[in-house]
Amino acid sequence: MIREAQSAQDRSVIVALWQAAAQQLDPQFAASKWQSFALWLDKELLPQSQVFIYDYHGVQGFAQLKGRKLGALCVHPAAQGKGIGKALLYYTLSRFSDLEVQLFTAAGEGQQYFKRQGFHPVQELLDSQTGLLQVQMVSTRSNRYFSY
């Protein structure tokens, strides 16, 4: 079941899931900067965002949006490859058209995933916090293709 995050308990589960994904992608970041990032997530970003949770026998993943920007699409490492990320993305696309996402260019798998889901790159940007190159991608599918 996909539902909107509503409680402080939801936020703590989201932060823990985000940490598991961060450790998988970049163990150095997770070790060195996680505490301050987690505090920022919990106190600033998540309260200002709309978050959809995939909840089936516990939270398995989430999609975080701020405006029309998809800030995170995260699935617990043990639940990856089961269609949860796609279900969250389609759920989000069924409600919002013209979504955008920014990915680090080093995350080639992420770019390929979003291309397969109908996103296309529009520009490259330098991330002000990390100094790393990102690619901005936008959805090319109309929300009429998705019913959830």
Side-chain angles (χ1 to χ4, degrees):
M1 169 178 100
I2 297 176
R3 63 177 175 84
E4 194 161 350
Q6 298 174 343
S7 68
Q9 182 179 359
D10 283 342
R11 281 201 317 271
S12 67
V13 170
I14 291 164
V15 170
L17 203 114
W18 207 319
Q19 183 178 22
Q23 286 175 329
Q24 186 180 26
L25 291 174
D26 186 351
Q28 288 181 337
F29 173 81
S32 66
K33 298 180 182 175
W34 181 256
Q35 290 297 85
S36 60
F37 185 70
L39 185 63
W40 175 77
L41 284 175
D42 188 43
K43 302 297 181 201
E44 293 185 38
L45 181 66
L46 293 176
Q48 299 172 15
S49 300
Q50 189 165 19
V51 182
F52 299 114
I53 293 175
Y54 188 97
D55 190 350
Y56 181 74
H57 300 296
V59 175
Q60 304 292 312
F62 69 89
Q64 176 266 325
L65 293 102
K66 192 167 180 184
R68 65 182 207 101
K69 183 177 179 181
L70 180 63
L73 179 64
C74 185
V75 176
H76 191 281
Q80 291 177 359
K82 298 178 181 176
I84 294 170
K86 187 181 284 188
L88 283 162
L89 182 60
Y90 282 15
Y91 184 88
T92 303
L93 285 167
S94 73
R95 282 148 179 75
F96 305 96
S97 59
D98 302 326
L99 284 181
E100 72 175 60
V101 64
Q102 285 180 218
L103 304 165
F104 291 107
T105 55
E109 289 178 22
Q111 288 182 52
Q112 292 307 313
Y113 175 81
F114 280 97
K115 281 182 182 178
R116 288 192 306 271
Q117 306 311 320
F119 285 71
H120 69 276
V122 292
Q123 67 177 334
E124 289 189 343
L125 309 161
L126 197 61
D127 182 66
S128 60
Q129 291 183 336
T130 64
L132 299 173
L133 196 60
Q134 292 185 323
V135 61
Q136 179 184 16
M137 301 179 81
V138 296
S139 60
T140 56
R141 295 180 176 173
S142 163
N143 61 3
R144 66 187 154 99
Y145 293 113
F146 304 102
S147 61
Y148 207 93

